[in-house]
């Protein structure tokens, strides 16, 4: 079986920069569908493929699912306001939001459609707010409404703004419960999950993709210079690269793949600040999500609430030039998660 091949230790090591040296020596195994990465996207893909009757294998270098960006985000269900009209992202966000609410309701996944206010804090931001309003209407977002300052402050007394855009369709969810549900359904339909298993590259043999696979501990202990062993050559009919921020780097290691189709990667990381006042969860200062007008590189430092009433500010944005290859494959959260950490702040 595949897992026995994956965990088998091959004593001889091979150089990662020259994968052709390893192809002849590692054991081979066939598979129908391989999903690389057990984050929220990979889990959703695995579930869908398994529901279609496909034989699915999910590989992740971490010891469990959802350890990177999927567990380090705002847990917000977005309405579909921000993306360019008629773009796939706009269409998928609007449709996906409806499907997500339906999925959570059917399966008892904790969620709450609390709504969002996007605020202009100065008159210079009002034109951008109007653009967002018009874009949201074009994208099919329901019940958007512009509020003047008094209306917004009546809804949120602690808010200071000159105008606000209300999005009632926005909400929050428990991302871990969602991922648990996706894993459970995928496994029920025959999907297999192999954790601590890293895909470090691949090559094409005709129209066949061959994946280069090794144990995570092999990559962890690798010094970057000595030859690196492969534990397995995996030959799937379908490959889904859902390895998050590692996806572009990994795709470039699929030898024979046209690199022109791989989008460039821009890395950033950010921090959240948690409101830790003793009464903050009992009586949080805000009842809605509060967002600024978007800034370059993100949606700006915003206010989010979780389902327990805990309030967070963030994330900020720190652009970083690159991350090491090994860090990519090991899915290291301190480098790869765009929203990577939380800090606690006390407010009077």
């Amino acid at each position: 079986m595949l897992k026995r091949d994956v965990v088998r230790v091959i004593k001889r090591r091979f150089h990662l920069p020259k994968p052709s040296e390893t192809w002849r020596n590692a054991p081979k195994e066939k598979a129908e569908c391989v999903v690389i990465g057990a984050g929220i996207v990979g889990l959703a893909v695995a579930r869908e493929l398994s529901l279609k009757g496909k034989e699915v294998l999910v590989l992740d270098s971490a010891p469990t699912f959802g350890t990177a960006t999927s567990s380090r985000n705002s847990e917000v269900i977005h309405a579909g306001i921000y993306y360019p009209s008629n773009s796939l992202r706009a269409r998928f966000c609007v449709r996906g939001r409806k499907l997500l609410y339906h999925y959570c309701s059917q399966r008892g996944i904790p969620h709450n459609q609390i709504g969002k206010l996007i605020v202009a804090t100065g008159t210079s931001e009002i034109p951008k707010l109007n653009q967002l309003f018009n874009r949201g209407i074009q994208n099919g977002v329901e019940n958007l409404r512009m509020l003047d300052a008094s209306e917004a402050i009546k809804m949120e007394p602690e808010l200071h703004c000159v105008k606000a855009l209300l999005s009632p369709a926005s909400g929050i969810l428990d991302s871990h419960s969602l991922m648990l549900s996706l894993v459970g359904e995928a496994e029920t339909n025959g999907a297999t999950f192999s954790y601590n298993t890293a895909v470090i590259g691949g090559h094409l043999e005709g129209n066949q993709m061959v994946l280069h696979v090794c144990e995570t501990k092999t990559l962890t202990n690798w010094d970057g210079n000595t030859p690196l062993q492969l534990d397995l050559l995996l030959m799937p009919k379908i490959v889904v690269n859902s390895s998050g921020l590692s996806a572009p780097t990994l795709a470039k290691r699929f030898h024979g793949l046209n690199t022109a189709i791989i989008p460039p990667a821009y890395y950033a990381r950010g921090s959240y600040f948690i409101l830790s006042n003793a009464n903050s969860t009992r009586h949080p200062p805000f009842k809605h999500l509060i967002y600024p007008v978007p800034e370059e590189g993100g949606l700006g430092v915003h206010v989010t609430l979780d389902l327990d009433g805990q309030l967070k500010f963030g994330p900020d944005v720190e652009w970083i030039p690159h991350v090491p290859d090994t860090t990519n494959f090991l899915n290291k959260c301190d480098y790869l998660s765009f929203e990577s950490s939380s800090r606690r702040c006390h407010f009077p």
Side-chain angles (χ1 to χ4, degrees):
M1 294 296 291
L2 177 61
K3 280 195 173 182
R4 291 201 297 270
D5 288 331
V6 169
V7 300
R8 179 162 43 168
V9 176
I10 303 173
K11 293 183 179 179
R12 186 179 176 187
R13 288 174 172 259
F14 301 95
H15 285 290
L16 183 64
K18 296 180 180 179
S20 59
E21 297 176 6
T22 72
W23 295 348
R24 305 186 193 94
N25 298 280
K28 293 183 178 181
E29 187 75 38
K30 292 184 178 180
E32 185 173 12
C33 303
V34 172
V35 177
I36 307 170
I40 189 71
V41 174
L43 298 179
V45 170
R47 170 188 174 271
E48 188 66 23
L49 287 172
S50 67
L51 287 172
K52 302 296 184 184
K54 302 292 185 182
E55 181 186 274
V56 182
L57 173 64
V58 183
L59 306 179
D60 198 291
S61 60
T64 189
F65 61 86
T67 61
T69 310
S70 296
S71 59
R72 287 164 171 77
N73 58 76
S74 301
E75 296 187 304
V76 170
I77 301 175
H78 287 283
I81 298 169
Y82 298 100
Y83 305 123
S85 300
N86 299 316
S87 67
L88 289 176
R89 295 181 75 182
R91 289 163 51 193
F92 289 164
C93 187
V94 172
R95 182 168 181 264
R97 180 246 306 162
K98 297 175 182 176
L99 292 173
L100 187 54
Y101 276 130
H102 181 70
Y103 184 88
C104 291
S105 296
Q106 277 196 326
R107 289 159 178 81
I109 296 169
H111 67 288
N112 192 357
Q113 189 173 330
I114 60 176
K116 175 198 294 187
L117 288 170
I118 305 174
V119 301
T121 56
T123 55
S124 62
E125 294 179 331
I126 292 177
K128 292 183 179 179
L129 201 63
N130 290 330
Q131 290 175 7
L132 286 177
F133 174 73
N134 293 330
R135 185 182 301 165
I137 296 296
Q138 293 171 2
N139 290 347
V141 181
E142 307 91 340
N143 302 319
L144 290 177
R145 188 158 64 94
M146 293 295 293
L147 307 177
D148 60 28
S150 61
E151 291 176 297
I153 294 171
K154 185 176 181 180
M155 293 180 65
E156 293 288 4
E158 298 296 326
L159 185 64
H160 296 276
C161 68
V162 295
K163 205 166 187 179
L165 172 59
L166 173 64
S167 170
S170 303
I172 55 176
L173 56 71
D174 181 342
S175 59
H176 191 73
S177 294
L178 174 61
M179 289 190 284
L180 275 174
S181 178
L182 295 173
V183 170
E185 291 192 40
E187 288 184 329
T188 298
N189 288 282
T192 300
F193 287 78
S194 181
Y195 300 114
N196 296 310
T197 305
V199 178
I200 62 173
H203 69 275
L204 288 174
E205 293 183 1
N207 291 325
Q208 174 77 60
M209 175 64 74
V210 181
L211 301 178
H212 303 167
V213 182
C214 70
E215 289 185 273
T216 294
K217 68 179 182 181
T218 301
L219 201 55
T220 303
N221 296 330
W222 183 48
D223 61 11
N225 297 311
T226 56
L228 177 67
Q229 71 177 25
L230 285 184
D231 293 325
L232 182 66
L233 292 177
L234 190 57
M235 297 178 291
K237 295 179 181 178
I238 298 173
V239 179
V240 180
N241 179 5
S242 56
S243 54
L245 296 181
S246 308
T249 300
L250 180 57
K252 291 177 182 178
R253 291 196 175 276
F254 292 158
H255 297 270
L257 187 69
N258 180 8
T259 57
I261 68 173
I262 303 172
Y266 303 95
Y267 294 105
R269 59 187 171 192
S271 297
Y272 283 102
F273 300 84
I274 297 175
L275 180 62
S276 58
N277 184 290
N279 295 320
S280 63
T281 56
R282 297 179 187 175
H283 305 287
F286 299 106
K287 297 179 180 179
H288 300 78
L289 303 167
I290 309 293
Y291 278 61
V293 172
E295 62 184 27
E296 184 178 357
L299 301 181
V301 174
H302 47 265
V303 174
T304 58
L305 291 163
D306 64 23
L307 293 162
D308 295 324
Q310 180 69 67
L311 189 145
K312 294 186 294 185
F313 298 90
D316 56 2
V317 176
E318 178 190 356
W319 293 101
I320 55 178
H322 60 83
V323 294
D325 276 358
T326 304
T327 299
N328 269 286
F329 300 127
L330 290 177
N331 207 11
K332 289 290 187 181
C333 303
D334 53 341
Y335 285 100
L336 286 180
S337 295
F338 179 81
E339 300 159 319
S340 60
S341 62
S342 296
R343 302 176 187 171
R344 293 187 174 270
C345 293
H346 293 270
F347 290 84

